[in-house]
């Protein structure tokens, strides 16, 4: 009865003009009652229960759920005797979100919700790409838009990729067809404010440009919802529901939690680009592995089933290995322990790096998982891979950066690979493809940029790099390598680079004695040779004399050692001795 009365009052309000509405008593006529539609009230009530259950079972989409909760409060208020005109406002809405964030799903669910709660008069949902509003010839666009709006009357018009209606983009001369389509659409929506619901959807940045391009859009679309990217746990839940709904499969016990960790570790950089399609993709890949696994087990055959592995032969159960989860928790702990062992083995001359990495390792081990909020310090830890390493030996800096990447990846703070590039490439040619390659390759991983101090020669190149680094995902590492004076000067001229790498790790110059010790370690590792008595002292004297004869910073420690090691290794191998002698290091003619 309440539903019938509410619909009758809404019909009366639509029939009367505003001035007559304000001065007339509440009298309902037979057309207002629409008795011929009363038989559909029971089905609407059933739809309401069904759509409410669907919203409650929805994964993610918190902004949509909050919006529908507010609308439901209004519906309940009117049902308890409130003014029905509260429900007759404009329902047009803008949905933004990254690919796969659920914009189409949200629009369809919104239309069903509005219809089930009596806010839409017809069970009509027209779904189109915004490009379809544009005519191909002069004079075709306006009738095409009007026809599409007319077909949606009483229901919902959903326009995906609505940013295609932005006629002027990136400084071009504009698209007259798009401009006409947008103007006509806005006029039709203004003339039919309460007769239909229009939903515009698109990617966030592009939709922001569209909304800025025409101020009239914000008046016609009072509601804007940004659908967030799915969290790894939500993607694991979507994968489980997809496996069940499409293939009738279930995930073995503990697999859903392991899949969430796997997605966070291996696919975090893919989430903004794929979202729900990532979950569907991992399920489809798991189906292929399941088929291969079962085929292999069938080929073996004859073995008695192991009760402890009851799920292994079940064709309706997906295991962790089907999702490519090869690392158990024990192996992850082993990986972390191995990285910690290698940090502790860093030589004494790299003590500052060892101290920094050991402190970071302790923080990572005591922190909450990467999905935690800022209260657990995860905001700082997520930026722990932003570092500038200065020192004379670029090889030492690169080794520390690689170890830092392994440490953060082992603890799930980084999910992508290590990308190594030289900044000198920015000084020649077009930098745009190079920077795009950086953003694509290093997203979610770490960028190790050699010779960063070379950008001191080009302020535009430094600014281009700073802009590219600013677009990397928050959980991406950036390590800049260079010499102390030049890199600090670069930071002073380009503060945005310093903001990208706020921590500076200074590696001290090696003393001649430390260079000799490093040469001895290299001989031991490469040749299995020890230095004969007196050779280390002779090496230290040689390195001191060589450095004194060269301009400051002309030769790095790696160059000094390799320049001496290459010929010495040949002489030592030819001689076939057990210890490396002075004669191996310095020939008679040297």
């Amino acid at each position: 009865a309440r539903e019938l009365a509410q619909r009758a009052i809404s019909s009366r309000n639509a029939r009367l003009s505003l001035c007559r509405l304000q001065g007339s008593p509440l009298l309902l006529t037979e057309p207002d009652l629409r008795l011929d539609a009363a038989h559909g009230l029971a089905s609407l009530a059933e739809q309401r229960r069904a759509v409410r259950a669907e919203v409650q079972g929805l994964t993610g989409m918190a902004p949509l759920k909050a919006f529908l909760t507010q609308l439901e409060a209004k519906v309940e208020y009117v049902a308890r005797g409130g003014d029905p005109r509260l429900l007759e406002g404009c329902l047009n809405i803008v949905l933004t979100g990254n690919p796969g964030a659920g914009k189409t799903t949200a629009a369809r669910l919104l239309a069903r919700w509005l219809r089930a709660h009596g806010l839409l008069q017809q069970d009509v949902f027209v779904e189109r790409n915004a490009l379809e509003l544009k005519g191909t010839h002069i004079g075709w666009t306006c009738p095409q838009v009007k026809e599409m709006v007319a077909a949606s009357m009483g229901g919902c018009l959903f326009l995906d990729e609505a940013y295609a209606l932005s006629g002027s983009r990136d400084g071009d001369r504009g698209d007259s067809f798009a401009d006409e389509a947008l103007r006509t659409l806005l006029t039709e929506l203004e003339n039919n404010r309460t007769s239909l619901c229009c939903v515009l959807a698109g990617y966030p940045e592009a939709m922001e440009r569209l909304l800025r391009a025409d101020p009239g859009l914000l008046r016609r679309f009072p509601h804007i919802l940004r659908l967030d990217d799915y969290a790894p746990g939500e993607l694991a839940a979507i994968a489980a529901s997809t496996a069940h709904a499409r293939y009738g499969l279930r995930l073995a016990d503990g697999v859903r939690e392991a899949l969430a960790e796997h997605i966070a570790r291996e696919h975090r950089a893919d989430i903004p680009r794929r979202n729900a399609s990532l979950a569907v993709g991992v399920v489809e890949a798991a189906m292929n592995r399941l088929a291969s696994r079962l085929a292999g087990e069938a080929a073996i055959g004859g073995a008695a089933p192991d009760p402890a592995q009851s799920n292994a032969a079940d064709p309706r159960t997906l295991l962790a290995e089907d999702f490519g989860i090869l690392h158990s928790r024990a192996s992850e702990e082993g990986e972390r322990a191995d990285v910690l062992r290698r940090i502790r083995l860093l030589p004494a001359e790299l003590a500052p790096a060892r101290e920094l990495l050991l402190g970071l390792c302790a923080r990572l081990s005591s922190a909450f998982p990467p999905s935690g909020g800022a209260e657990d310090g995860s905001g700082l830890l997520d930026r722990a891979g932003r570092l500038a390493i200065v020192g004379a030996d670029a090889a030492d800096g690169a080794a520390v950066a690689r170890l830092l990447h392994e440490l953060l990846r082992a603890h799930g703070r980084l999910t992508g690979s290590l990308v190594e590039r030289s900044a000198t490439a920015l000084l020649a040619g077009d930098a745009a493809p190079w920077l795009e390659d950086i953003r694509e390759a290093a997203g979610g991983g770490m960028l190790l940029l050699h010779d960063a101090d070379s950008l001191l020669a080009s302020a535009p190149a430094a600014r281009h790099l700073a802009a590219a680094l600013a677009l990397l995902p928050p959980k991406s590492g950036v390590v800049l390598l260079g010499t102390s004076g030049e890199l600090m000067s670069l930071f002073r001229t380009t503060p945005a680079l310093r903001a990208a790498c706020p921590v500076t790790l200074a590696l001290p110059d090696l003393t001649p004695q430390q260079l000799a010790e490093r040469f001895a370690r290299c001989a031991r590792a490469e040749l299995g040779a020890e230095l004969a008595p007196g050779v280390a002292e002779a090496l230290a004297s040689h390195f001191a004399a060589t450095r004194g004869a060269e301009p400051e910073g002309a030769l790095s420690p790696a160059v000094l050692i390799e320049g001496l090691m290459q010929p010495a290794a040949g002489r030592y191998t030819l001689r076939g001795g057990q210890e490396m002698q002075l004669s191996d290091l310095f020939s008679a003619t040297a």
Side-chain angles (χ1 to χ4, degrees):
R2 283 198 305 267
E3 184 79 24
L4 180 60
Q6 178 184 327
R7 292 169 63 88
I9 293 171
S10 298
S11 178
R12 168 199 175 263
N13 293 342
R15 177 171 52 83
L16 299 178
S17 64
L18 180 59
C19 59
R20 292 180 59 195
L21 191 64
Q22 292 174 339
S24 300
L26 183 57
L27 296 177
L28 301 177
T29 64
E30 184 174 345
D32 294 329
L33 293 174
R34 297 172 58 195
L35 296 176
D36 57 328
H39 67 277
L41 296 180
S43 63
L44 283 178
E46 181 61 33
Q47 289 179 34
R48 184 178 298 186
R49 286 190 291 270
V51 77
R52 184 178 291 122
E54 189 173 353
V55 171
Q56 291 174 349
L58 205 59
T59 299
M61 296 194 187
L64 176 65
K65 292 177 180 177
F67 176 72
L68 294 180
T69 299
Q70 292 178 349
L71 276 183
E72 189 162 21
K74 292 182 180 180
V75 171
E76 184 63 24
Y77 169 76
V78 171
R80 294 175 180 272
D83 190 342
R85 285 175 292 186
L86 181 65
L87 299 177
E88 295 178 5
C90 179
L91 293 173
N92 298 334
I93 188 170
V94 174
L95 292 175
T96 69
N98 288 326
K103 298 181 291 293
T104 301
T105 299
R108 293 170 180 169
L109 182 58
L110 174 65
R112 290 199 300 274
W113 193 98
L114 294 175
R115 170 59 180 160
H117 287 76
L119 301 183
L120 293 181
Q121 301 302 316
Q122 303 292 330
D123 191 11
V124 175
F125 184 78
V126 178
E127 181 176 342
R128 294 288 187 272
N129 188 292
L131 289 171
E132 298 179 48
L133 269 65
K134 296 164 56 175
T136 55
H137 296 80
I138 296 176
W140 285 20
T141 298
C142 182
Q144 200 161 284
V145 174
K146 289 184 176 181
E147 180 182 352
M148 196 171 297
V149 171
S152 309
M153 282 298 176
C156 180
L157 171 61
F158 172 53
L159 297 176
D160 198 8
E161 299 183 11
Y163 44 78
L165 298 179
S166 178
S168 299
R169 289 171 289 177
D170 302 326
D172 62 17
R173 297 179 60 186
D175 181 347
S176 60
F177 293 117
D179 289 335
E180 183 182 5
L182 183 57
R183 289 196 305 269
T184 306
L185 176 64
L186 294 181
T187 300
E188 291 298 302
L189 293 180
E190 182 65 27
N191 294 337
N192 302 277
R193 286 180 61 84
T194 61
S195 300
L196 79 158
C197 169
C198 182
V199 180
L200 301 184
Y203 302 142
E205 295 80 7
M207 292 301 293
E208 287 176 7
R209 289 196 297 269
L210 174 64
L211 293 174
R212 288 196 303 267
D214 194 322
L217 275 168
L218 290 175
R219 289 192 294 107
R220 273 80 165 195
F221 290 85
H223 311 291
I224 300 177
L225 297 185
R226 167 71 185 266
L227 300 181
D228 300 324
D229 293 335
Y230 290 104
E234 293 172 338
L235 291 174
I238 293 174
S241 63
T242 300
H244 176 73
R246 294 191 181 184
Y247 307 108
L249 300 177
R250 60 176 290 270
L251 273 58
D253 295 342
V255 171
R256 178 168 160 176
E257 292 75 12
L259 179 59
E261 294 180 4
H262 176 72
I263 291 174
R265 184 175 58 249
E266 302 294 336
H267 298 288
R268 187 177 291 275
D270 298 326
I271 293 177
R273 297 190 292 266
R274 299 180 62 187
N275 276 292
S277 64
L278 173 62
V280 175
V282 299
V283 170
E284 291 175 348
M287 286 291 299
N288 295 331
R289 295 190 188 97
L290 171 67
S292 300
R293 176 171 60 81
L294 294 176
E297 292 172 355
I300 296 174
D306 182 359
Q309 302 292 331
S310 58
N311 286 326
D314 185 355
R316 295 169 299 177
T317 301
L318 290 169
L319 306 181
E321 61 188 271
D322 298 326
F323 287 99
I325 304 174
L326 304 179
H327 297 287
S328 65
R329 188 172 299 276
S331 64
E332 290 177 3
E333 293 297 332
E335 182 180 353
R336 295 174 183 177
D338 178 66
V339 174
L340 177 59
R341 178 187 61 81
R342 290 160 56 200
I343 292 173
R344 288 172 172 160
L345 289 177
L346 285 175
E349 58 265 27
L350 295 181
R354 184 174 60 210
E355 180 182 0
L356 184 143
L357 294 177
L358 286 176
L360 177 59
C361 187
R363 291 170 59 204
L364 290 169
S365 299
S366 61
F368 289 106
S371 59
E375 293 181 356
D376 63 8
S378 61
L380 287 174
L381 286 174
D382 288 339
R383 289 179 56 81
R386 303 296 183 100
L387 188 67
I389 301 179
V390 297
D393 191 355
D396 282 347
V400 172
R402 295 178 190 121
L403 202 53
L404 173 64
H405 172 260
E406 291 185 42
L407 174 63
L408 293 173
R409 186 175 170 86
H411 284 270
R413 296 289 166 174
L414 293 180
T415 58
S417 58
L418 177 69
V419 180
E420 298 194 35
R421 297 287 188 272
S422 174
T424 55
L426 267 173
L427 302 178
D430 184 13
W434 189 88
L435 294 174
E436 182 61 32
D437 178 50
I438 283 181
R439 288 196 294 267
E440 184 68 23
M446 177 179 284
L447 169 67
L448 172 54
L449 194 64
H450 296 265
D451 307 314
D453 49 359
S454 65
L455 296 178
L456 193 59
S458 173
R463 289 195 296 269
H464 286 319
L465 175 63
L469 297 183
L471 294 177
L472 286 176
K475 294 184 179 181
S476 298
V478 178
V479 176
L480 304 181
L481 297 184
T483 56
S484 178
E486 286 79 1
L487 198 55
M488 292 301 103
S489 297
L490 178 64
F491 284 164
R492 284 191 292 271
T493 58
T494 313
L497 282 178
R498 181 58 183 267
C501 299
V503 177
T504 300
L505 173 63
L507 300 181
D509 293 338
L510 301 184
T511 65
Q513 290 75 20
Q514 289 173 330
L515 282 171
E517 293 172 5
R518 183 166 292 192
F519 184 95
R521 289 197 298 269
C522 182
R524 192 179 304 115
E526 296 289 337
L527 305 172
E530 297 291 340
L531 299 185
V535 172
E537 291 76 8
L539 277 171
S541 299
H542 170 76
F543 286 134
T546 303
R547 276 192 165 176
E550 295 287 344
E552 184 178 356
L555 295 177
S556 70
V559 173
L560 287 171
I561 292 174
E562 185 176 358
L564 194 58
M565 177 62 73
Q566 290 286 8
R571 299 187 194 101
Y572 169 80
T573 303
L574 287 174
R575 186 173 55 81
Q578 298 297 318
E579 294 180 330
M580 185 169 284
Q581 306 288 340
L582 281 174
S583 59
D584 298 325
L585 298 174
F586 310 107
S587 66
T589 58

